[in-house]
């Protein structure tokens, strides 16, 4: 049960930023005690993986056991019993078909995230705890107790889409028009979580992106020091000169400066994002609604899962342009054209019904109204 989509996103971010299509996971490990896992448990885990950007899962596990061993046979200590000795085996093909349909969509097209979120790992390393600080899955203090964790959680919960990036990946990025382009993705802005230490080379790379037209957001404040002791005085003086070149002016909840062809903003994160026109997906306001968005040539795919305890029955406002929407139920292998409308701001809304644990894929078309059978919506006709 100790699973965190925001940790899994480190794997998918690496793939998205560098241009790799498949993001794999050995999954189902130690989900519950032996033979007590249900297919619904595994399906929920798969949905967590999918919204994290994982699109190529492998079961853990299918342990070998000789016939003469009898039931329950030889078992591995941490395995979900995905084998013929498990009572749910006859129905596994239904789950496999669901996973195959989802992965077919999630392996197609391109990632579509707005924010490139810098990981200020030097603040974590600048710690008296010692040289050996493990970045582990089950002990994730390196993440959740650092600013990167709180910033990522806030973006996630508020419906902003992002990928993590490192100092080296920033160095390999460039600005095209106003967009930040990496080897594998295109982003609207770079966000730097509130941090105290940043290498001079990284600050230079950030300013280079802004000078060419990029948009940079420093959450709360600018970094004030460099990591390490090598050439300390020289490095500190250079950083001070770089920061002094920013002519920030107050603009409400943030400060803003023109830098070359681009802009640099410093202050409250969501206010900065809003001022740059970076829209969030408001479906996350409903507790438990999680999603991932990908693009294809004529529109977008939204994979949406209701991981909460309450049904969702209402309109979803889409942050991307959509003239029509196809609803795809990967579990039941049903599709249909969804109903849509425009809200007061001109954004497309589509109707969705999701029970707890259910998921759906929305395929949106940006510039055409597609034809096809209508999706069937259900309303209760009375008290059961």
């Amino acid at each position: 049960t100790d699973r965190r989509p925001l940790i899994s996103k480190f794997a998918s971010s690496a793939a998205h930023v560098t241009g790799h299509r498949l993001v794999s996971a050995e999954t189902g490990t130690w989900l519950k005690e032996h033979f007590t896992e249900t297919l619904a448990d595994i399906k929920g885990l798969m949905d967590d993986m999918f919204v994290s950007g994982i699109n190529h899962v492998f079961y853990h596990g299918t342990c070998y056991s000789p016939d003469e061993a009898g039931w329950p046979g030889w078992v591995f200590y941490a395995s979900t019993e995905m084998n013929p000795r498990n009572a749910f085996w006859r129905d596994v093909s239904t789950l496999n078909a669901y996973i195959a349909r989802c992965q077919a969509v999630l392996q197609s097209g391109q990632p579509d995230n707005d924010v490139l979120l810098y990981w200020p790992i030097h603040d974590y390393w600048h710690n008296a705890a010692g040289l050996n600080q493990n970045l582990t899955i089950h002990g994730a203090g390196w993440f959740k107790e650092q600013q990167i964790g709180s910033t990522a959680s806030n973006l996630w919960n508020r419906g902003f889409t992002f990928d993590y990036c490192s100092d080296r990946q920033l160095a390999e990025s460039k600005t095209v028009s106003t967009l930040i382009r990496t080897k594998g993705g295109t982003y609207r802005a770079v966000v730097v979580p509130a941090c105290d230490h940043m290498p001079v080379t990284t600050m230079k790379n950030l300013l280079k992106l802004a000078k060419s037209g990029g948009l940079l957001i420093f959450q709360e404040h600018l970094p004030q020091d460099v990591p390490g002791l090598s050439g300390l005085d020289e490095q500190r003086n250079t950083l001070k000169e770089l920061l002094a070149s920013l002519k920030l002016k107050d603009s409400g909840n943030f400060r803003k400066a023109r830098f070359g062809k681009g802009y640099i903003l410093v202050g409250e994160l969501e206010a900065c994002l809003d001022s740059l026109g970076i829209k969030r997906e408001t479906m996350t306001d409903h507790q438990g609604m999680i999603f991932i968005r990908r693009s294809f040539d004529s529109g977008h795919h939204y994979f949406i899962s209701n991981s909460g305890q309450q049904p969702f029955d209402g309109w979803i406002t889409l942050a991307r342009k959509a003239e029509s929407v196809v609803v795809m139920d990967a579990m039941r292998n049903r599709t249909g054209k969804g109903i849509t409308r425009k809200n007061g701001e001109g954004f497309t809304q589509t109707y969705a019904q999701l029970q707890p644990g259910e998921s759906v894929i929305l395929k949106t078309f940006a510039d055409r109204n597609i034809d096809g059978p209508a999706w069937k919506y259900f309303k209760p006709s009375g008290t059961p």
Side-chain angles (χ1 to χ4, degrees):
T1 58
D2 184 16
R3 56 186 195 245
R4 298 181 176 92
L6 291 177
I7 299 295
S8 298
K9 274 184 70 68
F10 277 92
S12 63
S13 294
H16 295 166
V17 170
T18 58
H20 293 276
R21 187 172 66 91
L22 299 181
V23 190
S24 302
E26 175 193 63
T27 189
T29 305
W30 222 330
L31 188 56
K32 285 186 176 178
E33 290 300 331
H34 292 268
F35 299 104
T36 66
E37 315 93 340
T38 67
L39 294 180
D41 292 329
I42 301 172
K43 192 265 186 188
L45 173 62
M46 295 299 172
D47 288 355
D48 280 356
M49 292 287 179
F50 291 152
V51 299
S52 303
I54 308 300
N55 62 10
H56 193 215
V57 297
F58 295 83
Y59 286 132
H60 186 298
T62 54
C63 304
Y64 168 75
S65 182
D67 291 340
E68 59 269 22
W71 191 90
W74 294 355
V75 297
F76 177 63
Y77 77 99
S79 175
T80 293
E81 296 297 336
M82 189 60 73
N83 57 56
R85 302 189 300 281
N86 199 321
F88 66 33
W89 183 251
R90 68 177 184 178
D91 297 315
V92 167
S93 59
T94 300
L95 176 63
N96 285 346
Y98 167 78
I99 294 170
R101 293 179 190 120
C102 292
Q103 290 189 163
V105 171
L106 297 174
Q107 291 174 13
S108 66
Q110 302 294 326
D112 184 51
N113 296 320
D114 289 320
V115 170
L116 198 58
L117 181 60
Y118 171 68
W119 182 13
I121 196 171
H122 298 280
D123 270 4
Y124 181 65
W125 283 340
H126 202 273
N127 186 310
L131 296 178
N132 183 20
Q133 299 185 74
N134 294 322
L135 310 179
T136 59
I137 300 297
H138 294 297
W142 59 271
F143 176 76
K144 65 181 182 180
E145 295 172 10
Q146 296 287 311
Q147 187 62 46
I148 182 66
S150 59
T151 300
S153 296
N154 183 48
L155 291 170
W156 178 269
N157 293 331
R158 292 292 289 162
F160 290 100
T161 58
F162 62 94
D163 282 319
Y164 305 115
C165 74
S166 67
D167 297 84
R168 186 181 300 177
Q169 288 166 340
L170 273 179
E172 296 172 348
S173 304
K174 60 182 179 180
T175 303
V176 179
S177 184
T178 61
L179 300 176
I180 309 297
R181 185 163 293 175
T182 68
K183 290 182 179 179
T186 302
Y187 302 86
R188 299 276 306 280
V190 176
V191 168
V192 178
C195 64
D196 297 322
H197 302 86
M198 178 177 286
V200 167
T201 53
T202 298
M203 178 58 74
K204 288 181 177 179
N205 288 329
L206 286 168
L207 297 183
K208 181 180 178 181
L209 292 174
K211 190 173 183 179
S212 300
L215 305 175
L216 307 183
I217 298 173
F218 290 86
Q219 185 183 14
E220 297 180 11
H221 59 80
L222 293 166
Q224 295 299 314
D225 204 354
V226 296
L229 298 174
S230 177
L232 183 58
D233 292 338
E234 180 183 354
Q235 295 290 308
R236 280 177 167 169
N237 289 335
T238 303
L239 180 64
K240 188 179 296 185
E241 291 173 1
L242 293 174
L243 296 178
S245 67
L246 307 181
K247 308 302 180 183
L248 296 165
K249 297 181 180 179
D250 286 336
S251 184
N253 291 336
F254 57 90
R255 294 177 293 156
K256 185 176 182 180
R258 180 85 179 187
F259 194 85
K261 298 179 180 179
Y263 287 94
I264 295 173
L265 289 73
V266 181
E268 199 277 320
L269 180 55
E270 190 160 342
C272 293
L273 291 167
D274 186 61
S275 73
L276 296 178
I278 297 176
K279 300 297 182 182
R280 67 189 187 94
E281 298 287 354
T282 57
M283 71 180 83
T284 58
D285 292 343
H286 182 85
Q287 188 174 13
M289 289 284 276
I290 50 180
F291 76 97
I292 188 170
R293 185 183 66 213
R294 293 181 63 86
S295 66
F296 62 96
D297 288 343
S298 55
H300 294 83
H301 284 119
Y302 287 79
F303 174 88
I304 305 169
S305 175
N306 182 4
S307 65
Q309 301 300 314
Q310 299 298 321
F312 180 87
D313 190 341
W315 293 94
I316 290 177
T317 302
L318 304 175
R320 291 291 189 259
K321 182 181 178 182
E323 288 300 316
S324 56
V325 176
V326 173
V327 183
M328 307 164 69
D329 182 347
M331 179 59 74
R332 301 174 181 86
N333 196 22
R334 295 185 298 146
T335 62
K337 183 180 178 181
I339 58 174
T340 59
R341 69 182 187 185
K342 298 289 186 180
N343 67 4
E345 297 178 332
F347 289 94
T348 297
Q349 295 180 314
T350 189
Y351 205 82
Q353 296 176 315
L354 287 172
Q355 291 296 316
E358 280 193 318
S359 58
V360 71
I361 297 170
L362 303 180
K363 183 173 186 176
T364 70
F365 294 87
D367 297 312
R368 64 190 178 101
N369 191 355
I370 57 96
D371 294 321
W375 179 256
K376 294 181 175 63
Y377 298 92
F378 294 90
K379 292 288 186 181
S381 60
T383 303

